[in-house]
Amino acid sequence: MDQQANARRNLVIMWFANFFINGSMTMVLPFLSLYIESFGKFSEKYVQHWSGITFGVTFVSAFIFSPIWGKVGDRHGRKKILLFSAFGMTLSVFFMGFVHSVWQLFILRFFMGFFAGFISMSQAYISTQTPKHMAGRVLGTLQTGTITGALLGPILGGIIADSVGYSTTFKWTSLSILISGLLVLATKEYKIADNKETKSIYTSKEVIRHLTRNPVLLTVLFISALIQIAHFSIQPILSLYVSELHGKENIAFYSGIAFSAAGLGNLFMSRSWGKIADLHGYVKVLIILLFVAGSVYLPGAIVTSLWQLVLIRFVLGISLGGITPVQIAFLRQEAPIAMQGEVIGYNTSLRFFGNIFGPMLGGFISGYLGFSAVFVSTSLLLLISGVILYTASHRHPELVNHSV
């Protein structure tokens, strides 16, 4: 089998692996608070408090370990780290089905964060097998597997939980993650030749030096945190905002529609944005997407009906859908293959930082200034990200289309 056929086969396999991983991760999120509630007679405030903590603690450990696994993957093979991640998460989620207290769930969620870099590592895995001129399109295609899993996961999780209970759902979910690991076994690891690259191993000091010498690359990494802070600041209050707009009747169903609308828009355009960026430049397209996303979020502050919010979320998903694959494609262009796992690990770590800080910011702003203020602040964060990247690219135009 030639290298091109291997690349296509690996992409298809990793598409399904990411589908199962992200579908599994989102399966349990809708009833996490209900699972905690089932441990005993707790107040509503206690359940909400611990739901937020157990949800966020995974990102804390993931924030710490993502660059470490990226570096290990660069040196010893990314396939090994993918298998380690999949089987580690399988065990973590499986044992969650046996817990009887919030502390046990908290510890397992924290432990799961050690292995939570599967999707970012799969991006690095496919990236190093992809020529630079088509990285956006290929990584955009890979992204659709992640998005499809996120769309179907909550629905399937709700159905299974209603049918067999929360504990059993965790056990079935672990089986789905195990399938991802078995799929990775079927892939063949290799790296495409890079004529300009002379080193096979880089130290962390050399990686940091490479990043600091490229202000545009460093900016693209930095805005990952701002984008996630903006995106996740909406998550805690979206259901409450839907309730305010529509009323409490069938609130779970209509909240699900509002959540899924962004994912649907994301699914439609992620591959197309990657292809457009391959042709017209990753930084240019990324700047456009940030300004569009920031502009689309703003009307969310003044909507008067649920369907206006759903439409805004759908258009938002269209713009947000291109950001991750275009970012990773730019990292593919600017970082030598032998350090890409660590660089993408830093990018993932910054994203996890946003996942931790975003919900806290959204909750704080909504508590003091109301739901509309969260949409305004989110819009400003995305627009500021666009301005920062635009400024960096114009100060260093020679780096925007620079190839390593």
Side-chain angles (χ1 to χ4, degrees), residues 9 11 24 36 48 51 87 103 117 157-158 173 202 207 224 227 256 271 275 299 308 313 317:
R9 182 173 178 272
L11 178 61
S24 302
I36 291 172
Q48 290 174 348
S51 295
F87 296 141
W103 278 106
T173 299
Y202 289 86
V207 174
S224 290
I227 292 165
R271 186 176 187 274
K275 191 174 182 180
Q308 290 173 346
R313 293 274 300 168

Side-chain angles (χ1 to χ4, degrees), residues 6 24 38 74 104-105 131 145 204 239 260 264 282 290 339 354 373 385 392:
N6 263 327
S24 302
S38 70
D74 285 336
Q104 291 171 338
L105 183 62
S204 291
S239 296
S260 298
L264 195 60
Y282 302 117
L290 288 168
M339 68 166 67
S385 299

Side-chain angles (χ1 to χ4, degrees), residues 226-350:
L226 294 182
I227 292 165
Q228 289 303 104
I229 290 171
H231 186 51
F232 268 70
S233 66
I234 295 291
Q235 306 294 61
I237 61 101
L238 189 61
S239 296
L240 300 173
Y241 196 39
V242 170
S243 178
E244 184 178 276
L245 291 171
H246 182 74
K248 295 191 178 295
E249 185 179 354
N250 297 322
I251 182 63
F253 173 72
Y254 287 108
S255 295
I257 291 176
F259 271 99
S260 298
L264 195 60
N266 201 315
L267 180 63
F268 281 156
M269 282 299 293
S270 60
R271 186 176 187 274
S272 298
W273 281 125
K275 191 174 182 180
I276 292 167
D278 285 336
L279 295 173
H280 300 288
Y282 302 117
V283 173
K284 185 188 296 183
V285 171
L286 195 52
I287 291 169
I288 291 170
L289 291 173
L290 288 168
F291 280 118
V292 171
S295 302
V296 169
Y297 250 124
L298 196 56
I302 56 172
V303 296
T304 56
S305 71
L306 172 63
W307 299 111
Q308 290 173 346
L309 179 63
V310 169
L311 180 61
I312 286 171
R313 293 274 300 168
F314 177 75
V315 178
L316 174 71
I318 288 175
S319 57
L320 286 178
I323 289 177
T324 298
V326 172
Q327 274 185 311
I328 301 301
F330 182 68
L331 299 183
R332 164 69 185 95
Q333 176 181 276
E334 295 299 316
I337 285 176
M339 68 166 67
Q340 281 186 23
E342 187 169 352
V343 172
I344 292 175
Y346 287 129
N347 184 65
T348 305
S349 186
L350 287 165

